[in-house]
Amino acid sequence: MDGYVIRETELNTLVKQVQNKLDHKYLNDVILVPTSENIAKFIWDEFAATRKIAKVIVYRESCEMGVEYTGESNGQSAALVR
């Protein structure tokens, strides 16, 4: 065991795949109602298709707030974070 939860190169690949689906897109065409909660769920769904994950945190720097999503297997919880 090397101490990594996930190798950085693998994480970068997963992030890039999700980023390619969202970056420079009209989010309403990708996510029906693109709230922070729904964006976090979208990212969760994309990652969970290939990996077991604990949570997704979406932080909106412009308003200094974000959301933490823990997935449907954990009771589908989205919580506001500051």
Side-chain angles (χ1 to χ4, degrees):
M1 191 63 160
D2 58 15
Y4 283 96
V5 173
I6 182 172
R7 292 190 180 279
E8 188 175 347
T9 54
E10 188 176 348
L11 178 61
N12 287 340
T13 299
L14 290 169
V15 168
K16 192 68 167 168
Q17 290 170 353
V18 173
Q19 184 180 26
N20 287 339
K21 292 181 180 183
L22 299 176
D23 196 28
H24 298 292
K25 304 284 191 299
Y26 181 62
L27 290 180
N28 291 71
D29 290 342
V30 181
I31 303 167
L32 186 60
V33 181
T35 62
S36 294
E37 294 84 356
N38 288 340
I39 293 169
K41 183 182 182 315
F42 176 85
I43 294 169
W44 172 277
D45 291 343
E46 292 293 313
F47 274 50
T50 59
R51 307 275 308 157
K52 181 177 178 161
I53 59 174
K55 71 175 96 173
V56 171
I57 299 173
V58 173
Y59 181 72
R60 311 286 294 258
E61 189 174 348
S62 60
C63 61
E64 297 182 3
M65 298 176 84
V67 65
E68 184 177 289
Y69 184 79
T70 57
E72 295 183 49
S73 64
N74 297 331
Q76 190 169 349
S77 173
L80 188 65
V81 293
R82 288 185 179 252

